[in-house]
Amino acid sequence: MADPRFFDNAGPFELGYLANALGCKVDRAAQSIRISGVGPLKTADGECLSFLANRKYRPDLLQTKAGAVLVYPSDAGQVPKGTVALVSQNPYYDFARAAQIFHPDPVPEPRIHPQATVSDSAEIGDGVCIEAGARIGPNSRIGPSAWIQENAVVDRGVTIGEGTWLGAGAYAGYCDIGRHCRIHPGVRIGTRGFGFAMSASGHTDIPQTGIVTIGDFVEIGANSTVDRGMGQDTVLGDGTKIDNLVQIGHNVQVGKGCVITAQSGIAGSTVLGDFVVMGAQSGVAGHLRIGAGTQIAAKCGVIRNLEPGEKVGGLPAVPLRRWLRQHAFLEKLMEKKGDKPDR
């Protein structure tokens, strides 16, 4: 279970309460079982709720000591004696919901720390917490219940929506940020886009006069950067999740519900449709259109437009099945040459 030094726990709860909250059925005799937290199958004890979503962890299910386990219907019969099976159509999703019940977001105390700097022209909503060292610029607007953490900077004119967190040391400039966003420490939003006219006599910067517009419930991981646009805005759609160390170039348009994982990058003026997924260390060249629902494998390099729902891998990107066949072909070719791959 979670280390109490760092994570508050709202529990314990009776299993019947949790089952009802998750929409799962549980026998009357098991409803009063005390559940104090959540955890993995291997380390869970009798007061812990766990889950099985990936079949490769089935051996751990057979040995678990958890009090209850969220499982698919097909796995319910594999739950060991002494552990209650909570049958779910999506155990991983329901486990996430259960974890939120035990560990809800902290609610910071509304205050403006005496060591924070807040412009007289800034508008500060009810219930806002502004921590030590933070700076709130002129004509900015901070929505109700927002949390501006230590040494964060909200530059002039910026708007931040209700319930949004701006992490320690983060910078928000030239931007409008929606409601209930999570901007992690070290993020840079609205910095100058990488735009200039190249010449043998020297490169001339092009003023980046757009902004960044971020929707509601967006998450941006630590030390990621989102450049402001050049004329038009850079846009991140509602519910998009961005991992750590991601670069979003100027004028990029990211749709709703996209997932962009660590060390990925999107070059300027590219458009991502809704629910695009980019694997770790993947990259997309500039001025492209990536269709809704596209999946881009890790370390993939995309240099052409992609149709909605495509799955691609490799550098340059090709259809995923073709990429896998290429790898299989190379393996066989190496074996023919007497170079057996290490296993």
Side-chain angles (χ1 to χ4, degrees), residues 20-133:
N20 183 64
L22 301 175
C24 301
K25 293 182 178 180
V26 62
D27 292 338
R28 184 181 297 273
Q31 289 182 359
S32 60
I33 292 175
R34 172 190 169 105
I35 301 295
S36 298
V38 295
L41 290 167
K42 269 191 173 182
T43 59
D45 60 24
E47 292 192 4
C48 196
L49 173 67
S50 192
F51 74 102
L52 176 71
N54 189 324
R55 297 296 190 269
K56 74 178 183 180
Y57 294 108
R58 187 173 284 167
D60 293 341
L61 174 66
L62 302 178
Q63 302 295 325
T64 191
K65 305 297 183 183
V69 180
L70 288 155
V71 292
Y72 288 110
S74 58
D75 292 318
Q78 302 298 314
V79 174
K81 186 178 180 180
T83 297
V84 178
L86 290 185
V87 177
S88 167
Q89 299 303 316
N90 192 337
Y92 188 52
Y93 183 80
D94 285 339
F95 180 79
R97 294 168 61 205
Q100 289 181 350
I101 293 172
F102 282 99
H103 305 291
D105 286 339
V107 179
E109 177 186 353
R111 65 169 181 165
I112 299 178
H113 195 283
Q115 294 180 359
T117 302
V118 180
S119 171
D120 291 339
S121 62
E123 297 181 21
I124 309 299
D126 295 336
V128 168
C129 179
I130 302 175
E131 303 283 14

Side-chain angles (χ1 to χ4, degrees), residues 71-291:
V71 292
Y72 288 110
S74 58
D75 292 318
Q78 302 298 314
V79 174
K81 186 178 180 180
T83 297
V84 178
L86 290 185
V87 177
S88 167
Q89 299 303 316
N90 192 337
Y92 188 52
Y93 183 80
D94 285 339
F95 180 79
R97 294 168 61 205
Q100 289 181 350
I101 293 172
F102 282 99
H103 305 291
D105 286 339
V107 179
E109 177 186 353
R111 65 169 181 165
I112 299 178
H113 195 283
Q115 294 180 359
T117 302
V118 180
S119 171
D120 291 339
S121 62
E123 297 181 21
I124 309 299
D126 295 336
V128 168
C129 179
I130 302 175
E131 303 283 14
R135 183 172 72 81
I136 312 300
N139 301 312
S140 57
R141 288 184 295 164
I142 311 298
S145 302
W147 187 7
I148 311 302
Q149 297 177 7
E150 290 84 353
N151 299 316
V153 174
V154 179
D155 217 333
R156 63 187 178 103
V158 165
T159 63
I160 292 181
E162 178 183 358
T164 285
W165 299 359
L166 187 66
Y171 169 82
Y174 306 89
C175 63
D176 294 321
I177 302 175
R179 302 176 301 118
H180 303 291
C181 295
R182 297 293 180 261
I183 313 300
H184 290 268
V187 168
R188 299 291 183 261
I189 299 172
T191 46
R192 184 187 179 281
F194 195 56
F196 48 88
M198 299 177 66
S199 168
S201 60
H203 307 320
T204 300
D205 288 343
I206 301 173
Q208 306 291 290
T209 56
I211 68 169
V212 177
T213 301
I214 297 176
D216 300 334
F217 298 97
V218 172
E219 182 169 5
I220 304 178
N223 296 322
S224 291
T225 56
V226 185
D227 291 345
R228 69 179 185 267
M230 183 185 71
Q232 73 183 78
D233 297 344
T234 302
V235 177
L236 303 181
D238 294 348
T240 281
K241 299 285 189 180
I242 296 175
D243 199 356
N244 304 330
L245 297 169
V246 169
Q247 159 68 9
I248 308 294
H250 63 192
N251 300 348
V252 167
Q253 314 283 303
V254 176
K256 297 178 182 179
C258 292
V259 176
I260 304 171
T261 55
Q263 299 182 5
S264 295
I266 306 172
S269 299
T270 281
V271 177
L272 270 63
D274 297 343
F275 300 104
V276 170
V277 176
M278 295 180 58
Q281 296 186 340
S282 60
V284 180
H287 305 275
L288 299 179
R289 300 191 70 86
I290 309 300

